Amino acid sequence: MFMVRCLVDNNTLDAARFRTEHGVSFTIETPTGQILFDTGQSGDVLVHNTAQLDLDLRQIDALVLSHAHYDHTGGLEAFLQKSRPGLPLYAHPDLFRERYATKDGQTRSIGLQMARIDLAKHATLNLSAEPAQVLPGVWTTGEITTRTEFEGRSSHHFILGNGWQPDPYRDDMALVLEALSGLIVVCGCCHAGLLNTLMHVQRIFDKKIIAIVGGTHLANLDVNTLEHTITILRAISAWDMPYLFLNHCTGERALAALAQAFGKKVKSCPAGTVLRFD
Ligand SMILES: [Fe+2]
Ligand SMILES: [Fe+2]
């Protein structure tokens, strides 16, 4: 049995109990331990909402970072102040690459704000582009190497290589939970593309996907691309559409379009949401 709790999201289930911010964080409770997936943006929201769910960050056994962006890694320092010294941290080796965003002619750094040397003082770094087992039945996807579909990208995200280049988001990974009933894919921002991520998971794990949870970065898609995404999602799922518990960068318009296409299989997943999978 896996229990997935949404600690941080742009929206909340209960504004009296949970705080919100642009960012995402989940805990995944498994029979053998508890995982934190991403840390949200500020750390304050993570710490506040964790307490509201009666969870203790000292009980986390492993941390996984979906990618470097500040809205997923900004709470890292606050988390590490409370977590067990030396806990394992799983991420892609490209996590430490500088990331930039441009807006109104200004360029700002939006990547990980903690130096590798400081991070290594608090956590045991497990950096791999290959799928890695975090706990029994829980894997990172590894790098999403085949990217034939186009959703997930933002035209204002850049890296500095040989001049400014569009961010290839090589570090973007999701988490895969192997439940008895099938696979649950937990996404951070899905910059590698939702469809690319799902096809990668199907290829590597060769089991039915029963649920997709998290941010899917469909917010900026034009109507035609969104329609294409829905068509392919239906095709790769055959007659057995997974449940979609979506939040963060999915966007209201995409959520509404998916709900129209897939009915009750589509739900929002704001902070405070608790999901159980057998
Ligand atoms: Fe992101
Ligand atoms: Fe994000």
Side-chain angles (χ1 to χ4, degrees):
M1 195 272 287
F2 295 98
M3 198 177 295
V4 178
R5 296 177 175 91
C6 181
L7 297 180
V8 178
D9 180 44
N10 306 43
N11 297 298
T12 171
L13 201 60
D14 179 352
R17 283 180 68 197
F18 302 105
R19 292 173 56 189
T20 61
E21 65 183 2
H22 176 72
V24 90
S25 175
F26 293 98
T27 53
I28 292 105
E29 188 178 324
T30 84
T32 55
Q34 182 123 225
I35 297 164
L36 185 71
F37 181 59
D38 287 347
T39 66
Q41 182 181 155
S42 66
D44 295 345
V45 176
L46 176 77
V47 170
H48 174 87
N49 290 357
T50 300
Q52 290 297 313
L53 281 165
D54 286 330
L55 295 172
D56 184 347
L57 292 173
R58 285 170 299 194
Q59 303 296 321
I60 297 293
D61 298 292
L63 170 66
V64 182
L65 295 174
S66 67
H67 67 303
H69 283 161
Y70 71 100
D71 52 320
H72 300 254
T73 59
L76 198 47
E77 211 165 319
F79 168 67
L80 292 173
Q81 280 171 12
K82 292 184 178 290
S83 66
R84 244 183 28 219
L87 103 160
L89 188 164
Y90 294 83
H92 188 283
D94 233 26
L95 181 76
F96 296 98
R97 179 188 279 277
E98 283 278 1
R99 314 295 157 122
Y100 301 93
T102 53
K103 193 178 179 189
D104 302 328
Q106 304 282 332
T107 302
R108 66 185 179 110
S109 170
I110 59 165
L112 183 67
Q113 297 301 312
M114 209 168 170
R116 180 175 182 147
I117 192 166
D118 293 326
L119 196 48
K121 285 177 191 162
H122 297 278
T124 304
L125 305 186
N126 298 279
L127 305 176
S128 176
E130 300 299 319
Q133 183 172 251
V134 181
L135 286 175
V138 182
W139 293 78
T140 70
T141 56
E143 184 172 330
I144 315 295
T145 45
T146 305
R147 302 188 184 191
T148 52
E149 299 291 339
F150 294 97
E151 80 280 6
R153 302 169 196 175
S154 289
S155 58
H156 63 286
H157 287 165
F158 295 94
I159 57 170
L160 200 48
N162 194 7
W164 291 106
Q165 297 166 3
D167 192 338
Y169 308 112
R170 284 191 60 214
D171 58 331
D172 185 76
M173 304 196 297
L175 210 52
V176 179
L177 319 182
E178 293 182 296
L180 286 175
S181 48
L183 304 176
I184 300 104
V185 182
V186 187
C187 305
C189 240
C190 239
H191 289 300
L194 175 62
L195 297 175
N196 295 331
T197 300
L198 296 180
M199 290 188 273
H200 174 88
V201 169
Q202 283 184 331
R203 207 164 38 241
I204 301 229
F205 294 88
D206 196 25
K207 283 184 192 163
K208 186 177 72 169
I209 297 171
I210 58 163
I212 300 156
V213 183
T216 55
H217 215 83
L218 301 176
N220 300 321
L221 287 193
D222 60 70
V223 174
N224 289 341
T225 313
L226 190 54
E227 195 56 46
H228 170 79
T229 302
I230 288 170
T231 302
I232 304 294
L233 199 51
R234 187 179 273 122
I236 63 175
S237 306
W239 298 106
D240 215 356
M241 188 64 203
Y243 281 92
L244 303 172
F245 300 98
L246 306 179
N247 62 13
H248 185 42
C249 50
T250 299
E252 293 299 323
R253 193 163 55 90
L255 195 63
L258 288 163
Q260 195 171 33
F262 304 120
K264 289 183 176 157
K265 292 260 173 164
V266 181
K267 299 172 193 303
S268 62
C269 185
T273 301
V274 179
L275 305 168
R276 291 176 184 78
F277 300 100
D278 292 316

mmCIF file of all heavy atoms in Angstrom, residues 205-237:
data_model
loop_
_atom_site.group_PDB
_atom_site.id
_atom_site.type_symbol
_atom_site.label_atom_id
_atom_site.label_comp_id
_atom_site.label_asym_id
_atom_site.label_seq_id
_atom_site.Cartn_x
_atom_site.Cartn_y
_atom_site.Cartn_z
ATOM 1 N N PHE A 205 9.019 -0.068 -17.352
ATOM 2 C CA PHE A 205 8.428 -0.875 -16.276
ATOM 3 C C PHE A 205 7.435 -1.914 -16.804
ATOM 4 O O PHE A 205 7.090 -2.857 -16.094
ATOM 5 C CB PHE A 205 7.762 0.035 -15.232
ATOM 6 C CG PHE A 205 8.751 0.884 -14.502
ATOM 7 C CD1 PHE A 205 9.135 2.123 -14.988
ATOM 8 C CD2 PHE A 205 9.351 0.425 -13.333
ATOM 9 C CE1 PHE A 205 10.071 2.910 -14.328
ATOM 10 C CE2 PHE A 205 10.289 1.195 -12.664
ATOM 11 C CZ PHE A 205 10.647 2.446 -13.166
ATOM 12 N N ASP A 206 6.944 -1.734 -18.012
ATOM 13 C CA ASP A 206 6.105 -2.733 -18.675
ATOM 14 C C ASP A 206 4.943 -3.216 -17.814
ATOM 15 O O ASP A 206 4.690 -4.415 -17.707
ATOM 16 C CB ASP A 206 6.983 -3.922 -19.121
ATOM 17 C CG ASP A 206 6.263 -4.787 -20.151
ATOM 18 O OD1 ASP A 206 5.373 -4.255 -20.837
ATOM 19 O OD2 ASP A 206 6.564 -5.989 -20.223
ATOM 20 N N LYS A 207 4.273 -2.291 -17.152
ATOM 21 C CA LYS A 207 3.066 -2.618 -16.379
ATOM 22 C C LYS A 207 2.048 -1.519 -16.631
ATOM 23 O O LYS A 207 2.399 -0.425 -17.086
ATOM 24 C CB LYS A 207 3.382 -2.665 -14.877
ATOM 25 C CG LYS A 207 4.098 -3.903 -14.417
ATOM 26 C CD LYS A 207 4.259 -3.850 -12.902
ATOM 27 C CE LYS A 207 5.239 -4.922 -12.439
ATOM 28 N NZ LYS A 207 5.725 -4.655 -11.078
ATOM 29 N N LYS A 208 0.815 -1.798 -16.260
ATOM 30 C CA LYS A 208 -0.263 -0.827 -16.479
ATOM 31 C C LYS A 208 -0.104 0.374 -15.544
ATOM 32 O O LYS A 208 0.158 0.202 -14.355
ATOM 33 C CB LYS A 208 -1.600 -1.529 -16.216
ATOM 34 C CG LYS A 208 -2.811 -0.700 -16.539
ATOM 35 C CD LYS A 208 -4.081 -1.496 -16.328
ATOM 36 C CE LYS A 208 -4.364 -1.716 -14.854
ATOM 37 N NZ LYS A 208 -5.677 -2.257 -14.565
ATOM 38 N N ILE A 209 -0.266 1.578 -16.089
ATOM 39 C CA ILE A 209 -0.276 2.790 -15.258
ATOM 40 C C ILE A 209 -1.707 3.012 -14.784
ATOM 41 O O ILE A 209 -2.626 3.140 -15.601
ATOM 42 C CB ILE A 209 0.231 4.010 -16.057
ATOM 43 C CG1 ILE A 209 1.693 3.802 -16.476
ATOM 44 C CG2 ILE A 209 0.092 5.291 -15.236
ATOM 45 C CD1 ILE A 209 2.220 4.846 -17.457
ATOM 46 N N ILE A 210 -1.899 3.044 -13.465
ATOM 47 C CA ILE A 210 -3.270 3.209 -12.943
ATOM 48 C C ILE A 210 -3.544 4.637 -12.479
ATOM 49 O O ILE A 210 -4.700 5.027 -12.329
ATOM 50 C CB ILE A 210 -3.561 2.228 -11.775
ATOM 51 C CG1 ILE A 210 -2.563 2.436 -10.624
ATOM 52 C CG2 ILE A 210 -3.567 0.791 -12.271
ATOM 53 C CD1 ILE A 210 -3.028 1.822 -9.316
ATOM 54 N N ALA A 211 -2.494 5.406 -12.240
ATOM 55 C CA ALA A 211 -2.724 6.792 -11.787
ATOM 56 C C ALA A 211 -1.526 7.675 -12.111
ATOM 57 O O ALA A 211 -0.378 7.217 -12.114
ATOM 58 C CB ALA A 211 -2.992 6.818 -10.281
ATOM 59 N N ILE A 212 -1.839 8.928 -12.390
ATOM 60 C CA ILE A 212 -0.814 9.959 -12.598
ATOM 61 C C ILE A 212 -1.108 11.061 -11.591
ATOM 62 O O ILE A 212 -2.251 11.520 -11.492
ATOM 63 C CB ILE A 212 -0.876 10.509 -14.038
ATOM 64 C CG1 ILE A 212 -0.627 9.369 -15.035
ATOM 65 C CG2 ILE A 212 0.129 11.633 -14.240
ATOM 66 C CD1 ILE A 212 -1.214 9.617 -16.402
ATOM 67 N N VAL A 213 -0.091 11.465 -10.859
ATOM 68 C CA VAL A 213 -0.272 12.439 -9.781
ATOM 69 C C VAL A 213 0.726 13.580 -9.979
ATOM 70 O O VAL A 213 1.894 13.328 -10.274
ATOM 71 C CB VAL A 213 -0.010 11.776 -8.398
ATOM 72 C CG1 VAL A 213 -0.260 12.770 -7.266
ATOM 73 C CG2 VAL A 213 -0.854 10.529 -8.202
ATOM 74 N N GLY A 214 0.279 14.832 -9.807
ATOM 75 C CA GLY A 214 1.230 15.938 -9.740
ATOM 76 C C GLY A 214 1.109 16.965 -10.855
ATOM 77 O O GLY A 214 0.073 17.100 -11.511
ATOM 78 N N GLY A 215 2.212 17.685 -11.072
ATOM 79 C CA GLY A 215 2.253 18.767 -12.058
ATOM 80 C C GLY A 215 2.556 18.222 -13.444
ATOM 81 O O GLY A 215 3.465 17.399 -13.605
ATOM 82 N N THR A 216 1.814 18.681 -14.448
ATOM 83 C CA THR A 216 1.981 18.120 -15.793
ATOM 84 C C THR A 216 2.326 19.181 -16.843
ATOM 85 O O THR A 216 2.376 18.886 -18.028
ATOM 86 C CB THR A 216 0.704 17.366 -16.231
ATOM 87 O OG1 THR A 216 -0.406 18.263 -16.122
ATOM 88 C CG2 THR A 216 0.472 16.153 -15.355
ATOM 89 N N HIS A 217 2.504 20.406 -16.417
ATOM 90 C CA HIS A 217 2.949 21.503 -17.293
ATOM 91 C C HIS A 217 2.158 21.605 -18.604
ATOM 92 O O HIS A 217 2.731 21.704 -19.691
ATOM 93 C CB HIS A 217 4.444 21.379 -17.596
ATOM 94 C CG HIS A 217 5.101 22.728 -17.707
ATOM 95 N ND1 HIS A 217 5.522 23.447 -16.630
ATOM 96 C CD2 HIS A 217 5.345 23.506 -18.783
ATOM 97 C CE1 HIS A 217 6.018 24.591 -17.027
ATOM 98 N NE2 HIS A 217 5.914 24.667 -18.339
ATOM 99 N N LEU A 218 0.861 21.591 -18.464
ATOM 100 C CA LEU A 218 -0.001 21.741 -19.639
ATOM 101 C C LEU A 218 -0.593 23.148 -19.705
ATOM 102 O O LEU A 218 -1.396 23.459 -20.579
ATOM 103 C CB LEU A 218 -1.145 20.707 -19.584
ATOM 104 C CG LEU A 218 -0.709 19.241 -19.527
ATOM 105 C CD1 LEU A 218 -1.918 18.326 -19.375
ATOM 106 C CD2 LEU A 218 0.075 18.853 -20.784
ATOM 107 N N ALA A 219 -0.182 24.002 -18.761
ATOM 108 C CA ALA A 219 -0.836 25.308 -18.585
ATOM 109 C C ALA A 219 -0.731 26.206 -19.812
ATOM 110 O O ALA A 219 -1.651 26.952 -20.110
ATOM 111 C CB ALA A 219 -0.262 26.019 -17.368
ATOM 112 N N ASN A 220 0.381 26.131 -20.523
ATOM 113 C CA ASN A 220 0.572 27.080 -21.630
ATOM 114 C C ASN A 220 0.263 26.497 -23.013
ATOM 115 O O ASN A 220 0.563 27.111 -24.026
ATOM 116 C CB ASN A 220 2.024 27.593 -21.625
ATOM 117 C CG ASN A 220 2.343 28.302 -20.328
ATOM 118 O OD1 ASN A 220 1.491 29.021 -19.792
ATOM 119 N ND2 ASN A 220 3.527 28.079 -19.805
ATOM 120 N N LEU A 221 -0.327 25.313 -23.041
ATOM 121 C CA LEU A 221 -0.577 24.686 -24.343
ATOM 122 C C LEU A 221 -1.697 25.381 -25.097
ATOM 123 O O LEU A 221 -2.707 25.769 -24.511
ATOM 124 C CB LEU A 221 -0.977 23.216 -24.144
ATOM 125 C CG LEU A 221 0.096 22.225 -23.729
ATOM 126 C CD1 LEU A 221 -0.426 20.811 -23.889
ATOM 127 C CD2 LEU A 221 1.369 22.402 -24.533
ATOM 128 N N ASP A 222 -1.514 25.519 -26.407
ATOM 129 C CA ASP A 222 -2.619 26.047 -27.214
ATOM 130 C C ASP A 222 -3.668 24.940 -27.376
ATOM 131 O O ASP A 222 -3.415 23.762 -27.080
ATOM 132 C CB ASP A 222 -2.112 26.546 -28.570
ATOM 133 C CG ASP A 222 -1.462 25.439 -29.370
ATOM 134 O OD1 ASP A 222 -2.182 24.542 -29.829
ATOM 135 O OD2 ASP A 222 -0.223 25.452 -29.495
ATOM 136 N N VAL A 223 -4.837 25.321 -27.843
ATOM 137 C CA VAL A 223 -5.982 24.401 -27.902
ATOM 138 C C VAL A 223 -5.660 23.160 -28.738
ATOM 139 O O VAL A 223 -5.977 22.027 -28.344
ATOM 140 C CB VAL A 223 -7.223 25.130 -28.473
ATOM 141 C CG1 VAL A 223 -8.371 24.165 -28.680
ATOM 142 C CG2 VAL A 223 -7.632 26.258 -27.542
ATOM 143 N N ASN A 224 -4.983 23.333 -29.875
ATOM 144 C CA ASN A 224 -4.699 22.190 -30.753
ATOM 145 C C ASN A 224 -3.738 21.194 -30.110
ATOM 146 O O ASN A 224 -3.929 19.980 -30.203
ATOM 147 C CB ASN A 224 -4.096 22.677 -32.089
ATOM 148 C CG ASN A 224 -5.137 23.370 -32.932
ATOM 149 O OD1 ASN A 224 -6.337 23.194 -32.720
ATOM 150 N ND2 ASN A 224 -4.682 24.187 -33.869
ATOM 151 N N THR A 225 -2.706 21.729 -29.440
ATOM 152 C CA THR A 225 -1.730 20.831 -28.801
ATOM 153 C C THR A 225 -2.383 20.093 -27.633
ATOM 154 O O THR A 225 -2.131 18.907 -27.415
ATOM 155 C CB THR A 225 -0.497 21.627 -28.313
ATOM 156 O OG1 THR A 225 -0.065 22.483 -29.356
ATOM 157 C CG2 THR A 225 0.647 20.701 -27.928
ATOM 158 N N LEU A 226 -3.242 20.802 -26.907
ATOM 159 C CA LEU A 226 -3.948 20.167 -25.787
ATOM 160 C C LEU A 226 -4.850 19.045 -26.304
ATOM 161 O O LEU A 226 -4.904 17.956 -25.718
ATOM 162 C CB LEU A 226 -4.762 21.233 -25.045
ATOM 163 C CG LEU A 226 -5.391 20.846 -23.712
ATOM 164 C CD1 LEU A 226 -4.369 20.275 -22.753
ATOM 165 C CD2 LEU A 226 -6.066 22.070 -23.098
ATOM 166 N N GLU A 227 -5.510 19.303 -27.407
ATOM 167 C CA GLU A 227 -6.369 18.284 -28.033
ATOM 168 C C GLU A 227 -5.530 17.080 -28.458
ATOM 169 O O GLU A 227 -5.920 15.922 -28.255
ATOM 170 C CB GLU A 227 -7.070 18.908 -29.247
ATOM 171 C CG GLU A 227 -8.245 18.102 -29.775
ATOM 172 C CD GLU A 227 -9.300 17.822 -28.716
ATOM 173 O OE1 GLU A 227 -9.684 18.747 -27.963
ATOM 174 O OE2 GLU A 227 -9.711 16.662 -28.633
ATOM 175 N N HIS A 228 -4.339 17.354 -29.011
ATOM 176 C CA HIS A 228 -3.420 16.287 -29.418
ATOM 177 C C HIS A 228 -2.987 15.472 -28.189
ATOM 178 O O HIS A 228 -2.968 14.239 -28.229
ATOM 179 C CB HIS A 228 -2.197 16.909 -30.105
ATOM 180 C CG HIS A 228 -1.083 15.953 -30.345
ATOM 181 N ND1 HIS A 228 -1.078 15.049 -31.384
ATOM 182 C CD2 HIS A 228 0.070 15.728 -29.649
ATOM 183 C CE1 HIS A 228 0.024 14.324 -31.335
ATOM 184 N NE2 HIS A 228 0.735 14.714 -30.288
ATOM 185 N N THR A 229 -2.657 16.176 -27.100
ATOM 186 C CA THR A 229 -2.235 15.486 -25.870
ATOM 187 C C THR A 229 -3.341 14.545 -25.384
ATOM 188 O O THR A 229 -3.070 13.392 -25.006
ATOM 189 C CB THR A 229 -1.906 16.527 -24.766
ATOM 190 O OG1 THR A 229 -0.879 17.382 -25.252
ATOM 191 C CG2 THR A 229 -1.450 15.856 -23.480
ATOM 192 N N ILE A 230 -4.572 15.020 -25.414
ATOM 193 C CA ILE A 230 -5.700 14.191 -24.966
ATOM 194 C C ILE A 230 -5.877 12.975 -25.885
ATOM 195 O O ILE A 230 -6.090 11.848 -25.411
ATOM 196 C CB ILE A 230 -6.984 15.048 -24.899
ATOM 197 C CG1 ILE A 230 -6.876 16.008 -23.707
ATOM 198 C CG2 ILE A 230 -8.230 14.180 -24.791
ATOM 199 C CD1 ILE A 230 -7.941 17.080 -23.649
ATOM 200 N N THR A 231 -5.735 13.188 -27.176
ATOM 201 C CA THR A 231 -5.885 12.078 -28.136
ATOM 202 C C THR A 231 -4.830 10.997 -27.895
ATOM 203 O O THR A 231 -5.132 9.805 -27.842
ATOM 204 C CB THR A 231 -5.751 12.610 -29.588
ATOM 205 O OG1 THR A 231 -6.751 13.604 -29.775
ATOM 206 C CG2 THR A 231 -5.925 11.504 -30.609
ATOM 207 N N ILE A 232 -3.581 11.421 -27.717
ATOM 208 C CA ILE A 232 -2.497 10.441 -27.504
ATOM 209 C C ILE A 232 -2.642 9.765 -26.137
ATOM 210 O O ILE A 232 -2.414 8.564 -26.003
ATOM 211 C CB ILE A 232 -1.099 11.112 -27.614
ATOM 212 C CG1 ILE A 232 -0.949 11.814 -28.961
ATOM 213 C CG2 ILE A 232 0.020 10.092 -27.406
ATOM 214 C CD1 ILE A 232 -0.933 10.908 -30.167
ATOM 215 N N LEU A 233 -3.046 10.557 -25.147
ATOM 216 C CA LEU A 233 -3.253 9.997 -23.805
ATOM 217 C C LEU A 233 -4.300 8.894 -23.858
ATOM 218 O O LEU A 233 -4.135 7.822 -23.263
ATOM 219 C CB LEU A 233 -3.712 11.136 -22.874
ATOM 220 C CG LEU A 233 -3.582 10.972 -21.381
ATOM 221 C CD1 LEU A 233 -2.196 10.539 -20.966
ATOM 222 C CD2 LEU A 233 -3.944 12.296 -20.685
ATOM 223 N N ARG A 234 -5.353 9.135 -24.611
ATOM 224 C CA ARG A 234 -6.414 8.127 -24.766
ATOM 225 C C ARG A 234 -5.859 6.905 -25.510
ATOM 226 O O ARG A 234 -6.115 5.763 -25.115
ATOM 227 C CB ARG A 234 -7.586 8.739 -25.534
ATOM 228 C CG ARG A 234 -8.798 7.821 -25.598
ATOM 229 C CD ARG A 234 -9.944 8.473 -26.357
ATOM 230 N NE ARG A 234 -10.785 9.293 -25.515
ATOM 231 C CZ ARG A 234 -11.028 10.599 -25.704
ATOM 232 N NH1 ARG A 234 -10.466 11.225 -26.713
ATOM 233 N NH2 ARG A 234 -11.809 11.271 -24.897
ATOM 234 N N ALA A 235 -5.049 7.145 -26.529
ATOM 235 C CA ALA A 235 -4.531 6.042 -27.346
ATOM 236 C C ALA A 235 -3.559 5.172 -26.554
ATOM 237 O O ALA A 235 -3.639 3.944 -26.603
ATOM 238 C CB ALA A 235 -3.837 6.606 -28.586
ATOM 239 N N ILE A 236 -2.643 5.788 -25.800
ATOM 240 C CA ILE A 236 -1.640 4.971 -25.094
ATOM 241 C C ILE A 236 -2.246 4.289 -23.867
ATOM 242 O O ILE A 236 -1.684 3.338 -23.354
ATOM 243 C CB ILE A 236 -0.367 5.769 -24.698
ATOM 244 C CG1 ILE A 236 -0.689 6.885 -23.707
ATOM 245 C CG2 ILE A 236 0.346 6.302 -25.907
ATOM 246 C CD1 ILE A 236 0.561 7.605 -23.214
ATOM 247 N N SER A 237 -3.401 4.772 -23.418
ATOM 248 C CA SER A 237 -4.053 4.142 -22.267
ATOM 249 C C SER A 237 -5.030 3.054 -22.716
ATOM 250 O O SER A 237 -5.599 2.357 -21.888
ATOM 251 C CB SER A 237 -4.830 5.187 -21.465
ATOM 252 O OG SER A 237 -3.992 6.245 -21.110
#
